[in-house]
Amino acid sequence: MRVDKFLWCTRYFKTRNLASESIKKGHVTVNGQVAKPSREVFATDKIVLRKDQINYQMTLLDVPSSRVGAKLVDMYRKDTTPDEAFAHLELLKLNKEYYRAKGEGRPTKKDRRDIDEYTTDIDDSNEDE
């Protein structure tokens, strides 16, 4: 089975076109080699997929005949992605939580005073050391 079709069948991508585009960008490796969308995959192949800033690592157990349900995906692959990758994603999500929502414009005077107070507190603590 083609690697783009496998990634679509195991629900890593919503469409085969999205899977093909990701593979063309070099986000997918099969057995340590950068793959093309038409690359054939077989059982025991190791695939590394970069998606949403996570390197998903999987070992193929079997090749499905067609797209499978979400509950049946684990029959066809063994996920070997380290837990640290998902913890890193949680940290990235926390970093993106802004005080001001995007598109609210420039800070108000009160916001500016709060920012100045925060930065001076950090500078003062560094001078004490």
Side-chain angles (χ1 to χ4, degrees), residues 10 20 24 27 62 65 81 95 106:
T10 55
S20 294
K24 287 177 186 175
H27 296 186
D62 196 10
S65 57
T81 307
N95 285 340
R106 294 169 50 180

Side-chain angles (χ1 to χ4, degrees), residues 44 63 77-81 85 88-89 91 105 113 123 126:
T44 70
V63 179
R77 58 112 173 125
K78 179 181 178 190
D79 192 7
T80 57
T81 307
H88 179 69
L89 182 65
L91 287 175
R113 280 186 243 115
D123 292 339
N126 288 340

Side-chain angles (χ1 to χ4, degrees), residues 4-23:
D4 62 340
K5 189 172 181 181
F6 175 80
L7 293 174
W8 170 74
C9 284
T10 55
R11 300 187 173 268
Y12 278 99
F13 291 99
K14 193 171 185 176
T15 64
R16 268 184 73 181
N17 190 30
L18 290 175
S20 294
E21 288 176 8
S22 179
I23 295 167

